[in-house]
């Protein structure tokens, strides 16, 4: 019983920030993302009675204890779903530059969920696979699909209505997404810890929840009619609000570096010059910049010359899970 799956990573346009259930990865709010074409994980899962234990090989070497524990805990859920007790060999090649601020957990757990489910012949539909992937990493549920994707938060305590769905296929609206690397140091506060601290201590967090539903509706409408200006504006506002909630946490969480601010300023100057360009920032210092394909080369050049910028990586909307 063996299968191989490939999943692309994604970036959030309307952010997921805060969990209502830590174990099931149930979010406090719904979110919207774009699946990217450049960065992905390819994972092969083989179940065999000859294996004496579960093994996880990442990029050619046995993974560390921390990573292996997350993967094996998730794998146990898949085994339970399938009603089997066989050990597995997991071989994963990760083509996501973690230093560039692109979360590899989304593509990693989506590929693992897809490969393991196919190896065990679980015959899950996309929604069921999305629910399964979510239990490894929240954002992984969005990487099941290509293009523009919404993760609906759901209301049920068991998480069976918290799943992603595709809003628009990747080939129907071509935009450019530039990942701007401004810092390569490991961040002091993980996304998971930052999220939890913000929910528990920030007086601004309720304001986030009060406005995020409106942001979602604005973004969904903009995607449906392909209005780049409206989408860019709400994406930028949403990211800044998320970081504002972190500034109110105790102690405050500041992910930005001097290069982050330099990129923000460059994007604002480009916009004043008449270019439609917008930024978004996840829980880290690096910036994702959205622009139209016809402006891509000029925006790329402008960003690359910005003080503090180390690298700029250009992406397009990418596909959902595929099987190799």
């Amino acid at each position: 019983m063996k299968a191989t799956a490939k999943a692309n990573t994604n970036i959030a346009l309307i952010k997921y920030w805060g969990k209502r259930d830590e174990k099931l990865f149930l979010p406090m709010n719904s979110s919207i993302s774009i699946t990217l074409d450049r960065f992905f994980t390819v994972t092969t899962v083989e179940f065999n009675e000859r294996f004496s234990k579960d093994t996880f090989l990442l990029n050619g070497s046995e993974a560390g204890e921390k990573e292996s524990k997350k993967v094996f805990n998730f794998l146990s859920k898949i085994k339970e779903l399938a009603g089997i007790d066989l050990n597995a060999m997991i071989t994963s090649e990760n083509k996501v530059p973690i230093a560039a601020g692109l979360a590899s957990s989304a593509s990693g757990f989506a590929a693992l969920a897809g490969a393991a489910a196919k190896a065990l012949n679980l015959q899950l539909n996309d929604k069921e696979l999305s629910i399964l992937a979510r239990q490894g990493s929240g954002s992984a549920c969005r990487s099941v699909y290509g293009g523009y994707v919404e993760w609906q938060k759901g209301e049920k305590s068991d998480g069976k209505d918290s799943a992603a769905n595709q809003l628009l296929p990747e080939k129907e609206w071509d935009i450019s997404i530039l990942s701007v690397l401004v810092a390569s140091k490991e961040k002091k506060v993980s996304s998971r810890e930052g999220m939890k601290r913000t929910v528990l201590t920030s007086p601004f967090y309720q304001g986030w929840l009060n406005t995020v539903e409106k942001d979602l509706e604005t973004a969904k409408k903009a995607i449906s009619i392909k209005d780049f200006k409206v989408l860019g504006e709400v994406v930028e506002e949403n990211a800044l609000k998320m970081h504002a909630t972190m500034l109110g946490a105790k102690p405050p969480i500041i992910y930005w570096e001097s290069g982050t601010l330099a990129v923000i300023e460059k994007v604002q100057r480009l916009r004043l010059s008449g270019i439609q360009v917008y930024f978004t920032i996840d829980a880290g210092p690096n910036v994702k910049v959205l622009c139209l394909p016809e402006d891509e080369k000029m925006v790329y050049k402008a960003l690359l010359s910005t003080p503090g910028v180390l690298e700029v990586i250009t992406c397009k909307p990418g596909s959902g899970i595929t099987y190799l």
Side-chain angles (χ1 to χ4, degrees), residues 181-322:
L181 173 60
V182 300
S184 56
K185 290 183 268 185
E186 187 174 347
K187 57 190 182 186
K188 296 175 183 176
V189 182
S190 70
S191 300
R192 187 174 296 187
E193 167 58 27
M195 198 179 285
K196 187 174 183 179
R197 188 190 304 177
T198 301
V199 172
L200 293 175
T201 67
S202 177
F204 305 146
Y205 188 71
Q206 188 58 47
W208 162 264
L209 293 179
N210 290 344
T211 61
V212 72
E213 288 296 329
K214 184 178 179 182
D215 290 350
L216 283 158
E217 289 307 311
T218 301
K220 284 168 70 174
K221 184 177 180 181
I223 290 168
S224 70
I225 62 174
K226 302 175 187 175
D227 189 326
F228 184 73
K229 182 175 183 290
V230 170
L231 180 64
E233 287 174 349
V234 71
V235 163
E236 201 168 278
E237 291 167 4
N238 183 264
L240 291 173
K241 281 189 289 189
M242 183 183 79
H243 282 270
T245 68
M246 301 181 212
L247 294 175
K250 294 182 182 179
I253 305 162
I254 303 173
Y255 286 118
W256 295 2
E257 304 277 349
S258 59
T260 311
L261 293 167
V263 172
I264 290 172
E265 186 178 5
K266 180 61 67 72
V267 168
Q268 291 173 334
R269 286 185 179 182
L270 285 169
R271 207 155 58 225
L272 286 173
S273 73
I275 305 299
Q276 288 193 57
V277 56
Y278 302 90
F279 65 82
T280 184
I281 310 167
D282 292 321
N286 301 302
V287 188
K288 315 302 184 301
V289 175
L290 310 179
C291 69
L292 295 169
E294 57 264 34
D295 298 321
E296 180 189 301
K297 289 183 179 178
M298 186 183 64
V299 172
Y300 176 91
K301 187 175 179 181
L303 292 171
L304 200 57
S305 65
T306 303
V309 170
L310 303 178
E311 188 178 3
V312 180
I313 305 167
T314 305
C315 302
K316 296 286 188 178
S319 63
I321 283 184
T322 54

